[in-house]
Structures are given as structure tokens and as C-alpha cells.
Amino acid sequence: MNTIPYIKGITFAPFASAGRLGEEDAKRSLALMKERTNANFIILAPGGLQDTPQSETIDYTSERTMTDTELKTMIEFAHELGLRVAVKPTVNCKNGTWRAHINFFDEDVPCEPKWSNWFPAYMEFQNHYARIAQETGCEMHIAGCEMVMTERRADEWRQVIAEIRKDYKGLVSYNTDKYQEHNVTWWDCVDVISSSGYYPIDDWERQLDRIEPVVAKFRKPFFFAEAGCMSAAGSKNVPNDWSVQGESDLDGQADWYRAMFAACRKRDWVNGFALWSWTDRLYDKKDIGKRRDYELYAKPAEDVVRENYAR
């Protein structure tokens, strides 16, 4: 099985809008992230937008998407800090529907939206950032995130990966969603398998048992391109649920991270993590007791990450 350097990663400022990564606060936050967590890797996730799950066009030039200049500057700064960088261009829907539900009829039907229109738009979106990843020397290109309903279209995904490789010569991965690792049939065409590790605090062993045969079958390196838990009461039991409304639970978030690291440490095929997430605009430490989000800064979970990333 091929190997890659162990990934001690964090997703930084996901889906930042234009202007945010150009601020000095963003650079200060990234430098502090490296100092406080022992991270050696970041994911930058420029967002593309389509109106609904059935829209056939993807916009990545509006003010809701980081500019190319900002992205390139942040990649350069991350490299100066000694961080490895992955670019993960990610599509979201303007109407708020989760991207996993982007879907069309399996066969083209006149007057209905079509896979044959959407996939070329998606390839253009990915290739745009593949060229930036190549130009800036990024260590990885992740060809999308949690696109569950698209994943059955294996032929189109193989073409997406092939097109990316024309522009980008580094490692190519794809970030499937939690519970979907065994459903992707085209892992053979990427260099690295990755998924979103939002598993309940008491279910890590069972889920790792399920994922392990997938990694063994395809003989590719594996890491969790996302993993995280909110600092809200109840989140450790359903860490994928952004809508949990419990009171702030900083210790519950820290406990979830301890459980994740402990379980994964026993599996030598888990090649690391890119945790969700670290903000480009740091909040006041005195406010952490009120926060119920995924952020790590200054919370007890940050201490758990730092200790484990120091191993």
C-alpha cells in the first residue's frame, strides 16, 4: 500500500467570502493555529454555488467566494509557515439544501435538468482550482466533498479525476461523506481515500471496522478530510448534526476528540485528519463558554488536538 506523510490537519476558514482571506487577521489566525495545535497541514475550501440541487451551473466568481488572489496568497503564507496545503473546491446550494442531495434523473429527459450539463460545469469548477493548486505547489487536490447522490455516477467521476490530473500533478483525493466509504466504487482512480469522520462518540470502533476493508481492498492511503464535533450538549452523540441546540458543552466536545483519537490510534491505516475547523477571525477567549460551534480555538478540545498532534 502506498503511504503519505501523516496528516495533522485542520480545515481553515472554509467557504470564506471575498475579502476575508486578504485581511491580516486571517494570517495571524493561521499562524496561531499552527502554534497552538501542532498542525502540519491545512485544507482550504473555496466554495462554488448553485441555486438549487437541480441547477446545472456553478458560480465561483461572486463575492461569496474567496478570490483567486486571496487563495494564492494564503497558500503561499501557509507554505512559509511550513504547512502542507490541500485545496478542496466544494459546491453548496444557495437555497440551503445540503450538497449531498445534488441529483438528476439517471437518464436524460428533454426539458429536465441533466447530469450531462451539470458534470461539465463541475469539471470546469474543479479544473480552475486544480490549476491554482499546481501553480502554487499544493500538496493535494481534493475533488469535492460529500456529494453523496452524485457518487453512483462512476464514469463521470472518473472523467472528473482524469481532467484534474491534466492540470494538477500532485496527490488527488475525494472526500466522501460519513457512512459512505464502502459505497464509492471508483476509489481506484484517486491517490488518497478520504471521508468525513463525524461518528458518534461511542461508535468509532464499529465504523472503523467497516471502513478498514475498503482501505484494504483499494490499497490506498486513507485520512479523515473532515472530522469534528460541536461544543453543544448532545453533539458528541450526533456530531454530524449542525442543528443541535443544546447548551454549551466544552467538555463534551473535548471528550469526543479524545474518543476519536484513541480509536484511530489503534488503526495504522488511518493516516491522519483535517479537523473541522479553525476560523479566520478569532473570537474573544472570554466568550468560549457561550459557544456551541465546531471551532477549536481556545476550547478544551484544542488542548486535546495539540496533545495528539504532538505525538
Side-chain angles (χ1 to χ4, degrees):
M1 183 183 296
N2 295 328
T3 60
I4 56 174
Y6 193 84
I7 293 172
K8 298 186 284 188
I10 296 177
T11 298
F12 181 76
F15 318 136
S17 57
R20 292 189 61 141
L21 292 188
E23 298 177 358
E24 285 302 310
D25 283 350
K27 287 186 175 181
R28 283 193 289 269
S29 179
L30 183 61
L32 197 64
M33 183 211 79
K34 181 177 186 293
E35 175 186 332
R36 293 177 67 99
T37 66
N38 291 312
N40 63 10
F41 184 101
I42 63 166
I43 289 178
L44 294 170
L49 291 167
Q50 57 184 73
D51 290 338
T52 73
Q54 281 69 54
S55 298
E56 297 173 315
T57 59
I58 299 169
D59 178 18
Y60 51 93
T61 61
S62 77
E63 293 184 354
R64 294 178 62 177
T65 301
M66 63 184 73
T67 68
D68 291 351
T69 298
E70 291 167 341
L71 176 59
K72 292 175 185 178
T73 299
M74 191 56 69
I75 293 169
E76 180 181 5
F77 181 66
H79 281 152
E80 289 173 1
L81 292 174
L83 294 164
R84 307 201 305 279
V85 181
V87 173
K88 184 171 75 172
T90 303
V91 170
N92 289 303
C93 299
K94 291 182 183 179
N95 70 355
T97 304
W98 180 33
R99 73 187 80 92
H101 297 290
I102 293 171
N103 198 16
F104 305 92
F105 295 159
D106 277 335
E107 296 183 11
D108 285 358
V109 175
C111 303
E112 297 294 344
K114 301 170 179 62
W115 287 118
S116 58
N117 291 331
W118 183 84
F119 263 109
Y122 189 77
M123 287 181 206
E124 179 185 326
F125 171 59
Q126 289 295 324
N127 289 348
H128 175 81
Y129 290 103
R131 289 188 287 272
I132 290 176
Q134 179 66 22
E135 176 187 339
T136 56
C138 286
E139 283 74 11
M140 188 181 295
H141 179 103
I142 303 175
C145 177
E146 302 169 352
M147 308 287 286
V148 177
M149 299 303 290
T150 75
E151 291 170 6
R152 69 183 187 275
R153 307 290 295 191
D155 290 346
E156 286 97 329
W157 271 106
R158 290 180 185 282
Q159 188 177 356
V160 168
I161 302 302
E163 289 296 318
I164 288 170
R165 292 191 188 281
K166 291 179 181 178
D167 292 311
Y168 176 69
K169 305 308 177 185
L171 295 172
V172 177
S173 184
Y174 169 75
N175 176 183
T176 193
D177 192 34
K178 60 207 172 290
Y179 305 103
Q180 305 302 317
E181 296 92 347
H182 63 288
N183 287 325
V184 177
T185 62
W186 39 272
W187 286 128
D188 56 286
C189 74
V190 301
D191 302 303
V192 181
I193 298 171
S194 62
S195 73
S196 292
Y198 297 100
Y199 293 118
I201 189 170
D202 61 355
D203 200 32
W204 273 99
E205 296 291 352
R206 188 166 69 95
Q207 297 307 325
L208 291 169
D209 284 344
R210 179 183 54 80
I211 299 169
E212 187 164 0
V214 179
V215 178
K217 175 182 177 180
F218 289 97
R219 301 186 59 80
K220 304 281 180 145
F222 172 90
F223 80 110
F224 287 107
E226 288 188 22
C229 175
M230 296 197 299
S231 53
S235 184
K236 66 184 181 181
N237 299 316
V238 281
N240 59 299
D241 188 351
W242 294 72
S243 66
V244 170
Q245 296 295 314
E247 294 298 313
S248 179
D249 184 9
L250 300 174
D251 290 337
Q253 183 188 37
D255 288 343
W256 183 89
Y257 272 99
R258 289 188 188 95
M260 179 195 73
F261 282 122
C264 292
R265 193 178 303 124
K266 294 181 285 185
R267 315 283 179 136
D268 60 6
W269 51 268
V270 176
N271 242 102
F273 314 84
L275 308 174
W276 191 277
S277 60
W278 191 280
T279 178
D280 55 307
R281 295 181 182 176
L282 297 176
Y283 41 83
D284 195 315
K285 290 181 184 179
K286 66 179 176 59
D287 293 330
I288 64 166
K290 305 174 185 177
R291 299 191 70 91
R292 301 186 295 275
D293 53 24
Y294 287 91
E295 292 296 330
L296 293 167
Y297 171 63
K299 296 178 182 178
E302 181 198 81
D303 296 332
V304 178
V305 172
R306 179 172 59 255
E307 292 164 6
N308 280 274
Y309 277 5
R311 289 176 180 267

